[in-house]
Each structure stands twice: as structure tokens, then as C-alpha cells.
Amino acid sequence: MALDELTEELARSAAAGDHRALGELLARIEPDVMRHCARILPYHQDAEEASQDTLLAVARNIGRFEGRARFSTWLHIVTANCARTTYRSLKRRAAEQSSDELPMQKPDVRRVSVIAGSRLDLLDAMEALEADKPDLAQALVLRDIVQLDYNEVAEQLGIPLGTAKSRIHQARKYVQGVLGEDYR
């Protein structure tokens, strides 16, 4: 999500309390947010839900945007977190709706594309990583989902560059272990 300077300026104005700027900002970022959510979540309706959650989170939390980093970086993080939260919520709802007699099943591979099935597997692996090693998950999200370079990851997390690289490497190994041999 490479945003132009006007969008960055609107974000700074909105963070300072300009409600007109916030409205214009939300309208400008909506298509990019939707595209980013669709890259993370395999189903269009889920991506739409995550996109709306992201826009709501931006509107509610824009005052927390301090302007130290670019707004696009902050937005990437909010979008990735909302998409992952939407996935966890949908998964929890599906588990609650399933009957006790039927075990939770993986999606039918004949009805789900390879890409969508892979994304579901990756989201499950990320969820396991986040539950087990949240520091590693945060670094991996910033690098592989938000697509920050290693220096930016280290800066965002307030850790040395070598530590950031190590966490990303460990996180990738963990995710590969969860996904199994088929994903190496």
C-alpha cells in the first residue's frame, strides 16, 4: 500500500483532529485496504468484513498515529491485524455453529482454490505462532505481510537489526513446521 503524499498529509491532519480530513482519508484508503485484505483472506465477503473493521479501527485510532513513521506503514499494520482478527472470529463462529457430533473439517479441496486453501493454512499457522510466540509473530507480520524491510521491522519493534532478522527466521521455521513438508 504505497500511499501518496496527499494521503500522508490527510492522515497527519486527521490525527490532529480534523474530521473533514478523516472522512477524505477513509475514502482514499478504502480501495487499498480492501485489496490488502483480499490478499490475506481467501473469501471476498471475509475480506470486505476485514476492510470495514480496518476503516473503523483507523477512524477510532487515528489520534494514536504519531507521524514518526509513514501512515502507510501504520495502515499496513492495522490492516493485517484486522484481517487476522476477522479470520480468528470467523473460525470461532464456525466452531460454535458446528454440531458436537461433527468434527471440525478442513475446507473441501474440490471447492476451494489452491491459493485460498493455502491462505487458510497459513492463517492457521500464523495463529499458532501468535499464540505460542507473539514476538516472533509480530516480526513476521511486519516483514512478510506488511512487507517492511528488515531495518523498518527493527525500527518498528524497537530492537536491533540482528534480533529482527533472527525473529523473522525463527518465525518462518516455526510456520514451516506447522505447515509441514508440502509447504517447504
Side-chain angles (χ1 to χ4, degrees):
M1 253 188 275
L3 303 176
D4 61 17
E5 284 307 313
L6 175 58
T7 306
E8 296 287 337
E9 180 57 38
L10 285 170
R12 287 188 290 276
S13 296
D18 183 343
H19 295 291
R20 181 204 55 77
L22 177 60
E24 193 173 331
L25 175 67
L26 294 174
R28 287 180 69 87
I29 66 172
E30 184 176 11
D32 290 328
V33 167
M34 180 59 196
R35 268 191 301 282
H36 194 69
C37 288
R39 284 193 350 234
I40 297 170
L41 295 164
Y43 301 109
H44 184 74
Q45 296 87 344
D46 300 344
E48 283 180 341
E49 182 176 334
S51 177
Q52 291 303 311
D53 290 346
T54 300
L55 295 172
L56 184 59
V58 168
R60 285 183 176 160
N61 298 305
I62 192 68
R64 294 183 185 166
F65 173 64
E66 299 171 353
R68 287 183 289 141
R70 293 185 56 82
F71 173 73
S72 58
T73 302
W74 186 80
L75 181 61
H76 270 296
I77 294 166
V78 171
T79 304
N81 287 340
C82 284
R84 290 171 45 229
T85 299
T86 297
Y87 175 72
R88 284 192 298 270
S89 173
L90 292 168
K91 189 174 171 183
R92 188 173 43 253
R93 278 187 256 160
E96 289 169 358
Q97 291 174 355
S98 68
S99 95
D100 294 332
E101 300 161 6
L102 297 174
M104 185 75 170
Q105 297 177 0
K106 285 198 160 264
D108 182 352
V109 293
R110 295 168 300 195
R111 298 182 59 202
V112 177
S113 74
V114 172
I115 294 169
S118 297
R119 280 190 272 177
L120 291 174
D121 291 345
L122 182 58
L123 287 168
D124 285 339
M126 286 295 299
E127 187 175 2
L129 175 64
E130 189 171 37
D132 196 25
K133 300 176 186 270
D135 289 348
L136 299 183
Q138 193 175 27
L140 187 65
V141 166
L142 291 173
R143 177 67 186 123
D144 289 354
I145 296 176
V146 177
Q147 298 179 337
L148 298 181
D149 66 37
Y150 289 103
N151 289 322
E152 292 171 318
V153 171
E155 183 181 322
Q156 283 290 321
L157 297 177
I159 58 176
L161 177 61
T163 302
K165 288 180 177 182
S166 175
R167 286 183 185 179
I168 293 163
H169 176 74
Q170 290 174 20
R172 287 175 178 160
K173 285 186 76 160
Y174 183 98
V175 168
Q176 285 177 342
V178 170
L179 293 174
E181 291 296 321
D182 294 339
Y183 289 93
R184 292 183 195 254

